[in-house]
């Protein structure tokens, strides 16, 4: 998975960039096919905003945005929203009507 970080009107620092990268890579547990996540950080009048865009092959681009007084809380909120979207998209691809493997073996 590729994590790309973009900043607009704000300096996030190397330590926070590493935290953002580490936290973003945990999204792969929701969908192992996750290819690219773009993080866009912005600051306007003391409000930090984070936009997270996820690209999964065969699925539409998912976007989550969050604003907060703190960079960390804005990032965490956006990634939580993105995680829920990835989980929902992944569950759509699972065939819930197919018989389970144990049911097939019993027959």
């Amino acid at each position: 998975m590729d994590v790309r970080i973009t900043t607009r009107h704000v300096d996030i620092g190397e330590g926070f960039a590493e935290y953002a990268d580490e936290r973003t890579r945990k999204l792969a547990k929701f969908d192992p096919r996750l290819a690219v996540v773009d993080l866009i950080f912005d600051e306007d009048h003391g409000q930090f905003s984070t936009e997270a865009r996820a690209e999964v092959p065969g699925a539409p681009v998912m976007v989550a945005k969050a604003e907060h007084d703190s960079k960390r809380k804005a990032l965490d909120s956006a990634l939580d929203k993105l995680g829920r979207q990835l989980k929902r998209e992944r569950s759509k691809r699972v065939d819930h009507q197919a018989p389970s493997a144990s049911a097939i073996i019993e027959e």
Side-chain angles (χ1 to χ4, degrees):
M1 172 175 54
D2 188 23
V3 178
R4 299 183 291 210
I5 297 176
T6 305
T7 59
R8 297 180 185 152
H9 311 113
V10 66
D11 181 31
I12 61 170
E14 189 175 318
F16 185 75
E18 289 175 8
Y19 169 76
D21 183 68
E22 177 183 314
R23 177 82 163 73
T24 304
R25 291 191 182 280
K26 292 181 181 180
L27 292 175
K29 69 182 176 185
F30 296 115
D31 195 336
R33 299 180 319 136
L34 185 60
V36 177
V37 177
D38 290 316
L39 296 175
I40 303 167
F41 296 98
D42 195 2
E43 189 261 332
D44 188 27
H45 300 292
Q47 280 284 61
F48 294 97
S49 65
T50 302
E51 180 177 326
R53 296 173 171 257
E55 297 178 19
V56 177
V61 175
M62 290 166 258
V63 180
K65 298 177 185 179
E67 290 187 6
H68 206 276
D69 298 340
S70 164
K71 288 185 284 192
R72 184 175 295 246
K73 288 184 180 180
L75 172 68
D76 289 341
S77 180
L79 292 180
D80 289 343
K81 290 177 183 180
L82 189 59
R84 286 192 297 270
Q85 289 180 31
L86 287 166
K87 190 174 182 180
R88 188 175 336 126
E89 184 66 32
R90 173 84 177 197
S91 70
K92 288 180 182 179
R93 286 194 310 259
V94 176
D95 186 7
H96 295 285
Q97 301 299 320
S100 65
S102 60
I104 293 172
I105 294 173
E106 290 175 3
E107 294 176 3

